[in-house]
Amino acid sequence: MTTKIDAYIAKRSAEDPTFAKAAKQQSLNLDVAVAVTRLRAEQKMSQREFARLVGKPQSTIARIEEGKMNVSVLLLKEIAIAVNKELSIQFI
């Protein structure tokens, strides 16, 4: 089912390549935000505790979880290593 916002994003993206690029990046950021938030919740840790474990400032974890940060693969790998997980990136 396509929502009104999905339809708007698709229409606007078709008309404006800059908007399309930004929309795709934001979608990726939100996917990462959900994944990192879930991972932290699995660890039963606060953002501060999780940040300490990962070796990053709490503000970095907050920006990731808010979808406000374009997270590098290197940072995702560091997070995975810190919690004894493997990072998997797929082309679908």
Side-chain angles (χ1 to χ4, degrees):
M1 181 171 102
T2 301
T3 65
K4 287 182 180 183
I5 191 70
D6 291 334
Y8 171 79
I9 290 169
K11 181 179 184 292
R12 180 94 188 270
S13 292
E15 297 168 353
D16 182 351
T18 302
F19 179 87
K21 185 177 178 181
K24 284 181 182 179
Q25 184 62 57
Q26 188 57 39
S27 179
L28 286 171
N29 289 357
L30 292 175
D31 288 344
V32 169
V34 169
V36 171
T37 302
R38 285 182 179 159
L39 180 61
R40 182 176 60 79
E42 285 175 13
Q43 302 297 312
K44 296 178 174 44
M45 294 180 150
S46 67
Q47 282 185 351
R48 187 173 310 282
E49 292 166 326
F50 192 72
R52 195 172 302 121
L53 177 68
V54 173
K56 301 295 178 192
Q58 181 271 330
S59 60
T60 297
I61 302 304
R63 286 195 329 271
I64 293 169
E65 290 186 2
E66 291 167 0
K68 294 181 179 178
M69 184 174 174
N70 297 345
V71 183
S72 70
V73 174
L74 177 60
L75 178 52
L76 291 175
K77 184 69 174 173
E78 290 173 1
I79 291 170
I81 289 169
V83 295
N84 281 332
K85 298 277 186 177
E86 290 198 22
L87 177 64
S88 173
I89 298 172
Q90 302 174 7
F91 292 102
I92 300 173

